[in-house]
Amino acid sequence: MTTAPLSLTHLIRPSDPTTDKAPVIFLFHGYGSNEEDLFSFASELPKDHTVISARAPYAMEPFGYAWYAINFDAEQGKWSDNEQAISSREKIIGFIEEACRTYHLDDTRVTLLGFSQGTILSYSVALSYPEKIRTVVGLSGYINEDILIPDYKGKDHSNLSVYASHGQVDQVIPPEWAQRISPFLKQLGIAHVYEEFPVGHGVSPQNLNSFKNWLLKR
């Protein structure tokens, strides 16, 4: 299928069979990557879903894209640009609505699948707008409460379900950050699975099979 000129550059794999109102999985890559990265998973994802992989809006030098800047300061240490992250949150929710309308997809059956920074944004979108999202697969990320909408706790999260996973020896995002996901989701009454795998900042074949099987049961 040819991609339409939407607000975010993207790749698309149509559902099989190709039908109107197919459920959809949106893929959100990590810091410094692009829309081709997670699209390599497309052939492994449920065939009855359309798969759309989006490119983050902020270009990096000399290549790659980011959902928000990560700055390294000698005095302040490593810190994230939350204003850019919030802006990307809003760009993503707008893009989801735009893509569902343009490609005639089922906007009541939307899954977000992210890696690293893309996971952080996926949580931000889903927890801020649970009425728009059905399912989240969060790989190698964490929940940043500072980029959720202020009144997110007042939202109804009862229809949202989450699969979260992390590498036990991740040197980019500490496992203890990811381990806070489960109690956070439990407080909101969100059905979820949290798993760890003996890898670094990446997705092992076991991890891929696990979230694939989880998705097929949804």
Side-chain angles (χ1 to χ4, degrees):
M1 181 185 292
T2 304
T3 58
L6 305 185
S7 56
L8 292 178
T9 300
H10 59 286
L11 299 171
I12 184 166
R13 189 215 72 185
S15 62
D16 183 16
T18 304
T19 58
D20 277 359
K21 297 300 179 184
V24 56
I25 301 173
F26 287 93
L27 310 180
F28 300 106
H29 64 78
Y31 180 78
S33 190
N34 61 39
E35 71 279 13
E36 295 179 0
D37 186 9
L38 292 184
F39 200 63
S40 62
F41 288 160
S43 62
E44 302 283 346
L45 298 175
K47 304 299 183 190
D48 61 334
H49 286 58
T50 292
V51 178
I52 296 176
S53 187
R55 177 193 294 176
Y58 298 104
M60 297 175 62
E61 295 294 338
F63 53 79
Y65 298 85
W67 298 102
Y68 55 87
I70 298 175
N71 299 287
F72 301 88
D73 185 278
E75 294 181 2
Q76 299 183 54
K78 180 178 168 182
W79 58 278
S80 300
D81 189 327
N82 284 341
E83 286 189 11
Q84 282 189 349
I86 289 167
S87 174
S88 284
R89 182 194 73 203
E90 296 305 302
K91 288 177 190 293
I92 287 171
I93 201 68
F95 173 72
I96 288 169
E97 293 170 352
E98 187 182 30
C100 286
R101 187 170 59 248
T102 301
Y103 295 119
H104 309 290
L105 303 171
D106 187 348
D107 61 6
T108 69
R109 298 175 66 195
V110 173
T111 294
L112 310 183
L113 190 160
F115 176 75
S116 194
Q117 196 179 72
T119 289
I120 296 166
L121 263 296
S122 294
Y123 287 140
S124 178
V125 170
L127 295 171
S128 297
Y129 303 106
E131 69 278 9
K132 305 277 189 183
I133 309 300
R134 176 75 65 86
T135 314
V136 176
V137 176
L139 309 173
S140 303
Y142 65 96
I143 295 170
N144 180 356
E145 195 171 0
D146 293 336
I147 62 173
L148 306 182
I149 63 170
D151 62 343
Y152 76 91
K153 289 181 181 177
K155 295 269 191 163
D156 180 3
H157 296 88
S158 60
N159 291 322
L160 186 62
S161 58
V162 172
Y163 173 94
S165 65
H166 211 77
Q168 293 170 333
V169 288
D170 192 325
Q171 295 178 315
V172 176
I173 296 176
E176 54 266 28
W177 292 14
Q179 289 160 4
R180 299 174 193 147
I181 293 169
S182 191
F184 191 100
L185 297 179
K186 185 178 276 190
Q187 280 194 330
L188 295 174
I190 297 172
H192 65 281
V193 170
Y194 176 78
E195 296 184 317
E196 292 187 355
F197 295 88
V199 294
H201 196 62
V203 180
S204 69
Q206 295 87 349
N207 193 176
L208 175 60
N209 286 331
S210 186
F211 79 70
K212 274 171 53 181
N213 290 334
W214 184 85
L215 278 174
L216 289 170
K217 295 173 185 173
R218 301 276 62 78

